[in-house]
Amino acid sequence: MSDNKIRLLIEECLKKYPCKIEVRYNEPMKEHTTFKVGGPADCWIQGSDNNFPYFCAEFLYCTRKERINVFILGGGANIVVSDKGIRGVVLDMCAWKSPHKSEGICLNSEEEFVLRSGTSIDKACEAALCTGFSGFEFLAGMPGTIGGAVWMNARCYGSEISDTLSWTEVIAGQDSGKYELRKIYTSAAAGFGYKQSPFQKVDCLILSAAFKLKKGDKEIIKSEMKKNRQDRNNKGHYLFPCAGSVFKNNHEFGKPAGAIIDELGLKGLKKGGAQVAPFHGNIIINTGGASAENIRMLTQEIALTVKEKTGFILEPEILFVGEWGGV
């Protein structure tokens, strides 16, 4: 991919929609993922001012015409980027975040909790706590961003993001090839499921989301968040670079994926610097110097062993992105 071609496109889009953006070329993706692996992106872009969404809409239109790949990045908490990296452009939304103030600046006139997609999940939890709203407790301590949580329909402790989601503002692709800002009203019945959302099936960029939370007792909310953070800490989520659960749970199997992997004696299994966590079967950790290919091979070996021994087909929750051919 020609850096010069991308540079020219960026300049053209900035002429139409001036905004402050940061652009880097050959940016190592290991700096932007919780696994701390991944080769370079041809181009990496991040922005935060109010014109940034309009720049994005125009940029997506231009890159689509030129058949340049654009990968939308949130907190990098659920992905493994190839050692070869990502061809084209990475549009990093992490700087597109809501301010966090105790006055409740995130509330709109409908008392919906509105958050930009780049807002960190944990910051969103703290903002909810400060304003005395309940409904985000299950997210406390979870890495990543609100945009990623909506896209993935993040779930834990019996709750999921779609339970309280009211509407989502997106930049959506049109039949004309143009991209337009749209507000999409959503409900749990509208394409949401276990770790699934309608946004996974359409060409769009999530800008913000609104949640209908309930007023609650601050001390109870605080206590529940503390308990969930502690539970994640006890499970070893923060001990090593990782992406949390590797495989989705399937209730038809009768037990969680981690328990199945544990029973087959796979905890501690290694491929290079990647290891099935000795403390949790459904977590792969980077013990130091792991490659993306180490992680992929280990994921494949776990899935193959489980299928051979039990007949169960585990579905990965983590996404393998970038250029994998010929690795």
Side-chain angles (χ1 to χ4, degrees):
M1 177 59 61
S2 167
D3 288 354
N4 190 52
K5 187 175 185 179
I6 295 174
R7 281 192 180 95
L8 290 173
L9 281 180
I10 292 171
E11 289 173 6
E12 289 175 13
C13 295
L14 286 174
K15 286 177 184 177
K16 291 190 72 172
Y17 298 103
C19 66
K20 293 180 180 178
I21 61 172
E22 184 176 0
V23 182
R24 301 177 194 167
Y25 295 92
N26 296 312
E27 175 69 6
M29 292 305 296
K30 66 181 180 180
E31 303 299 328
H32 303 283
T33 66
T34 58
F35 252 128
K36 302 301 180 187
V37 300
D42 289 338
C43 177
W44 173 93
I45 300 174
Q46 191 177 81
S48 61
D49 73 26
N50 290 334
N51 243 12
F52 183 59
Y54 301 98
F55 164 83
C56 288
E58 183 67 16
F59 186 69
L60 289 170
Y61 169 60
C62 291
T63 50
R64 184 179 185 178
K65 282 199 305 181
E66 296 294 331
R67 297 186 177 181
I68 296 172
N69 177 63
V70 176
F71 178 75
I72 309 300
L73 179 69
N78 214 40
I79 64 173
V80 182
V81 177
S82 163
D83 298 313
K84 288 189 173 184
I86 297 177
R87 304 288 68 80
V89 179
V90 171
L91 192 55
D92 188 330
M93 299 301 292
C94 283
W96 182 249
K97 54 191 175 184
S98 301
H100 168 46
K101 295 184 179 180
S102 59
E103 307 90 85
I105 197 169
C106 296
L107 289 174
N108 66 11
S109 59
E110 302 297 320
E111 286 211 327
E112 291 171 323
F113 203 57
V114 183
L115 297 163
R116 288 181 175 180
S117 59
T119 306
S120 82
I121 293 172
D122 220 31
K123 289 289 186 183
C125 292
E126 285 303 304
L129 171 61
C130 286
T131 49
F133 278 83
S134 175
F136 274 1
E137 290 89 333
F138 76 102
L139 293 169
M142 185 180 288
T145 60
I146 287 295
V150 170
W151 191 89
M152 192 67 182
N153 193 21
R155 176 183 176 86
C156 201
Y157 307 122
S159 297
E160 56 190 29
I161 205 81
S162 60
D163 292 341
T164 57
L165 186 61
S166 179
W167 53 259
T168 310
E169 184 183 30
V170 303
I171 296 173
Q174 310 299 307
D175 291 340
S176 65
K178 288 283 188 180
Y179 284 76
E180 298 177 358
L181 273 66
R182 293 175 53 199
K183 186 179 286 188
I184 299 176
Y185 289 87
T186 53
S187 70
F192 285 91
Y194 175 66
K195 303 294 177 69
Q196 294 180 332
S197 81
F199 306 107
Q200 296 171 12
K201 300 178 181 179
V202 296
D203 180 15
C204 74
L205 165 62
I206 297 173
L207 287 176
S208 61
F211 303 89
K212 198 69 176 177
L213 305 183
K214 297 179 180 179
K215 270 292 187 181
D217 184 294
K218 282 189 177 183
E219 289 305 311
I220 295 176
I221 297 169
K222 184 177 181 179
S223 176
E224 187 69 14
M225 287 186 178
K226 182 179 179 180
K227 183 185 76 173
N228 291 339
R229 288 191 180 103
Q230 188 59 50
D231 181 62
R232 288 187 164 97
N233 185 64
N234 292 344
K235 289 177 179 176
H237 283 222
Y238 313 127
L239 290 175
F240 296 90
C242 70
S245 297
V246 174
F247 297 100
K248 296 179 181 180
N249 289 317
N250 187 330
H251 296 298
E252 293 182 5
F253 297 164
K255 61 187 71 174
I260 296 170
I261 294 166
D262 289 353
E263 290 170 3
L264 294 177
L266 297 178
K267 284 197 299 187
L269 183 67
K270 296 188 73 173
K271 287 286 183 184
Q275 182 182 37
V276 180
F279 46 81
H280 198 297
N282 200 18
I283 294 176
I284 289 177
I285 59 175
N286 180 354
T287 61
S291 67
E293 184 63 12
N294 291 157
I295 296 167
R296 185 169 76 155
M297 290 177 64
L298 188 54
T299 302
Q300 291 173 340
E301 183 170 345
I302 295 166
L304 181 61
T305 302
V306 169
K307 183 180 179 181
E308 289 177 344
K309 299 292 185 181
T310 68
F312 298 147
I313 299 176
L314 295 179
E315 182 182 356
E317 179 174 326
I318 54 177
L319 305 175
F320 293 87
V321 302
E323 184 183 12
W324 291 92
V327 175

